[in-house]
Amino acid sequence: MSASLQNQLVVAISSRALFDFEEENTVFDRDNDAAYRALQRERLEVAASPGVAFSLVRKLLAFNTPEQARVEVVLLSRNDPVSGLRVFRSCQAHGLPSVQRGVFTQGREPFGYLRPLGAHLFLSANEADVRQALHLGYPAARVLTESAQAGNAHPQEVRIAFDGDAVLFSDEAERVFQAQGLDAFQRHESDKAAQPLPEGPFKPLLAALHRLQQASGSSGMRLRTALVTARSAPAHERAIRTLMDWNIAVDEAMFLGGLPKGEFLREFEPDFFFDDQTGHVTSAARHVPAGHVSSGIANVP
């Protein structure tokens, strides 16, 4: 009987998002791919250090039990297959033996494999791959490899924070703000408070996490989500009503009215934060693992 990932949360992740390969990447940028591959071969027996998304992956996999596989993590990488061998060995060394599937394309674009995987999330340090994945309709974010690593204060709880407009929701309201300013934005959202916002690129991930939260069962793991948005009253109402229309609840909501998000995220202590605005992501990365979602009007060249 063939294997299936149906009914599982599927996370596709690049080697550099899961492990710290920044020194090796510097060799790639400075020299060439041959020098990079040679260095990886030299270090086959050396486990790479955990990267920015390691905590998120480790905790999500903890939802699996011997009776029920709820989460699948697949390596999806531009690495060559031999470098991929080091990645798998690093997974074993750091207690991730359930990471058993991987696709290594040796420089070729990997995002096309998201389709057969049925991925709910793609994390990569490659901006072009992330943009293409989003274009294909998959939740995807460029991991800021310089981000602070997640702390260990909540070992039994996965914490994930999302921006609203252009991430969970469409950029409809953001377009009004960009074109006409804050007052027009507030009027637009007050007038449409009862009308749900269209879905954004990360709504499918939020829905999949909601299902995981409900089915956590005997794993002993919990999931906590937060909406962290620059919206403030009265524009908060439409965001809340949209989540109600989707029948999805978040555990916390922060309507910050333009305040810097980084310090609020430091208090929430997420294992990962997603935002479309580079300024917000950079602010957050000083405190927590963060990823840039290249979607919406703010990312139009």
Side-chain angles (χ1 to χ4, degrees), residues 66-117:
E67 298 76 29
Q68 182 69 51
R70 298 184 177 92
V71 177
E72 177 72 18
V73 174
V74 181
L75 296 163
L76 187 57
S77 172
R78 287 176 176 259
N79 262 319
D80 66 288
V82 176
S83 298
L85 179 60
R86 186 184 179 205
V87 180
F88 274 123
R89 289 184 177 182
S90 298
C91 288
Q92 290 284 338
H94 289 290
L96 300 181
S98 57
V99 179
Q100 299 177 346
R101 293 184 170 93
V103 177
F104 301 94
T105 64
Q106 192 161 318
R108 194 168 71 85
E109 297 171 339
F111 54 81
Y113 293 105
L114 296 170
R115 192 186 310 277
L117 287 172

Side-chain angles (χ1 to χ4, degrees), residues 125-162:
N126 187 297
E127 183 174 1
D129 288 346
V130 166
R131 285 184 176 273
Q132 289 295 332
L134 286 164
H135 179 72
L136 291 173
Y138 294 95
R142 177 179 63 84
V143 173
L144 272 68
T145 56
E146 68 272 23
S147 294
Q149 298 240 355
N152 299 313
H154 310 282
Q156 301 301 117
E157 189 171 73
V158 179
R159 295 189 170 197
I160 304 178
F162 300 90

Side-chain angles (χ1 to χ4, degrees), residues 1 29 41 77 105 134 137 160 175 193 221 236 254 264 275:
M1 180 180 294
D29 291 338
R41 283 165 172 75
S77 172
T105 64
L134 286 164
I160 304 178
R175 287 179 178 272
M221 292 297 294
H236 72 296
M254 306 178 200
F264 291 89
D275 201 299

